[in-house]
Amino acid sequence: MSAICQVTGRKPGFGKSVSHSHKRTNRRWDPNIQRKTYYLPSEDRRITLTVSTKGIKTIDRDGIEAVVARLRARGQKI
């Protein structure tokens, strides 16, 4: 599963871990990605989205219908 939120577009952040001796190694900060199933009443079906926790809050605030309309306007197939 890719670490990209379908709603907010959040991706992993990249940087360096710095040890006590100040040796730097590469690392990444992954967003908290969840697979969540939502019911679309207008189409009478369920859809599964890959969303971050911020994306879940956005769906709770705006509603699944509005978020799906935004995704389709962006060109994503759902």
Side-chain angles (χ1 to χ4, degrees):
M1 181 170 67
S2 66
I4 300 174
C5 176
Q6 287 181 291
V7 176
T8 61
R10 286 182 171 236
K11 297 178 181 177
F14 294 91
K16 303 281 187 184
S17 285
V18 182
S19 68
H20 179 70
S21 65
H22 219 64
K23 181 178 180 178
R24 293 162 188 248
T25 56
N26 293 331
R27 66 157 292 181
R28 70 188 236 170
W29 287 267
D30 286 328
N32 188 359
I33 298 292
Q34 315 281 322
R35 285 183 64 84
K36 200 125 165 60
T37 303
Y38 291 97
Y39 176 71
L40 275 178
S42 63
E43 299 177 19
D44 195 34
R45 71 183 185 110
R46 296 182 182 278
I47 58 167
T48 302
L49 296 175
T50 305
V51 292
S52 64
T53 49
K54 182 154 186 173
I56 293 171
K57 290 177 186 176
T58 302
I59 292 171
D60 289 344
R61 184 188 69 215
D62 299 341
I64 187 65
E65 297 286 345
V67 172
V68 167
R70 255 185 266 148
L71 291 176
R72 287 188 173 141
R74 225 189 291 159
Q76 282 191 14
K77 185 171 181 276
I78 294 175

